[in-house]
Amino acid sequence: MFLLLLAGFFFWLIFRDFRAEHPISEDAISFNRAYRMTLVVLGLVCLWFPFDQWRFNQFLTEKATILAGGKTVNIHCDSAIDAIFEAGVGRAGTAYIEDRQIIFHYSWCGKLKDYLDQPTGGLTRHEKFSLHLFTHEVMHIRGERDEQKTDCQAIQRDYQAARLLGVPKGPAKDIALHYYRREYPEHPYFSSHCHPGGSLDETLANSTWQFL
C-alpha cells in the first residue's frame, strides 16, 4: 500500500508540473523533460513491486488450490509493513482454516521465490525449507490442525507441490527427500509414525516416498 501511495505521489507531481507555467528556454525545457522522466521512472518502479507481488500471490493461490483438493485457497505474502501489524508476527506462515487463507511472512515469500527461480543448486537452508513451509500450510487449510499429522501430510506431498510450482522432476525429488531425510528427524513436529507403512502413511500414488 505504501508503494502505491508513493507512486500516486510521483504521478501527482508530474500532473502538477504539466499544469504549472515554466519559463520558455532551452535549459528549462531540458530540465523539465529530465525531471518528468525521472518521476515517471520512479512511479513505475513503485507500481512494479506491488504488481509483481500480486502476481506471485495469484500463482501461489492457484497451485495451493490444486494441492488442497480444488477448493479455493487464498494466499497473501506480507510486505515488510504488513508484517508489523499482522497477527502472529514472527511466524513464517499462518493458516486460517475457516477463512481458507494463508499469510506468509514477507521474508519467507522471498525465500520461496528465490528457490523457484533457481531450484537446482546453491540454495540456503531456509530457501530449501520454504517449499515444505508452503506445503505444510496448505495441509492445514485442508482441515488438519494437529501439527505432527499436518507435517507428515506435507512430507508426502512435497514432491507434488514442487512439481505444481514448476520445479523439474529431479530437483523436485531432491528437495522433497532433503526435508524428510535431513530436517524432519530433528524437527519438533517429528512423528515416529510418519514413514512408509506407518499409521500416517496415506499411500498416495505420487508420494515423496515413492523415491525411497
Side-chain angles (χ1 to χ4, degrees):
M1 180 61 71
F2 173 74
L3 288 177
L4 292 176
L5 292 173
L6 192 58
F9 173 70
F10 288 134
F11 288 119
W12 174 78
L13 289 177
I14 295 170
F15 173 75
R16 187 186 69 169
D17 189 65
F18 270 112
R19 296 196 61 184
E21 295 184 2
H22 299 284
I24 302 175
S25 69
E26 287 298 325
D27 289 342
I29 291 173
S30 297
F31 174 81
N32 288 340
R33 286 175 179 169
Y35 172 70
R36 291 167 183 170
M37 184 57 66
T38 300
L39 292 177
V40 167
V41 170
L42 290 173
L44 291 176
V45 168
C46 290
L47 288 176
W48 166 252
F49 286 105
F51 172 75
D52 185 52
Q53 192 59 67
W54 172 84
R55 186 175 60 173
F56 190 56
N57 288 349
Q58 294 302 111
F59 171 72
L60 294 181
T61 291
E62 176 189 346
K63 304 309 178 184
T65 296
I66 297 171
L67 194 61
K71 191 174 179 181
T72 301
V73 179
N74 293 306
I75 291 186
H76 173 73
C77 290
D78 273 343
S79 68
I81 296 175
D82 288 337
I84 297 173
F85 301 101
E86 178 62 41
V89 64
R91 297 177 185 173
T94 305
Y96 298 93
I97 297 176
E98 291 78 10
D99 298 331
R100 298 190 65 81
Q101 184 179 45
I102 299 170
I103 307 292
F104 287 118
H105 190 277
Y106 79 100
S107 65
W108 282 97
C109 272
K111 292 175 176 65
L112 180 57
K113 187 180 293 187
D114 289 342
Y115 165 68
L116 295 178
D117 286 342
Q118 184 61 41
T120 56
L123 299 168
T124 67
R125 182 182 179 186
H126 284 170
E127 287 168 349
K128 292 177 181 178
F129 181 73
S130 65
L131 183 278
H132 181 74
L133 173 65
F134 169 80
T135 316
H136 179 97
E137 298 303 334
V138 174
M139 293 303 98
H140 273 310
I141 295 299
R142 295 169 70 244
E144 184 57 65
R145 297 178 184 273
D146 182 275
E147 292 291 3
Q148 288 187 320
K149 291 180 180 178
T150 299
D151 213 47
C152 193
Q153 291 172 7
I155 284 169
Q156 295 171 75
R157 291 170 176 81
D158 275 339
Y159 173 74
Q160 180 187 357
R163 294 292 289 134
L164 282 171
L165 293 171
V167 178
K169 291 182 179 180
K173 178 190 76 172
D174 292 343
I175 197 72
L177 290 178
H178 171 82
Y179 177 77
Y180 180 61
R181 287 173 168 168
R182 302 286 185 86
E183 303 288 343
Y184 183 57
E186 305 299 325
H187 199 279
Y189 297 159
F190 173 80
S191 169
S192 60
H193 302 290
C194 185
H195 59 82
S199 61
L200 297 180
D201 185 358
E202 299 176 74
T203 64
L204 302 174
N206 58 350
S207 171
T208 298
W209 291 337
Q210 67 183 294
F211 301 111
L212 295 174

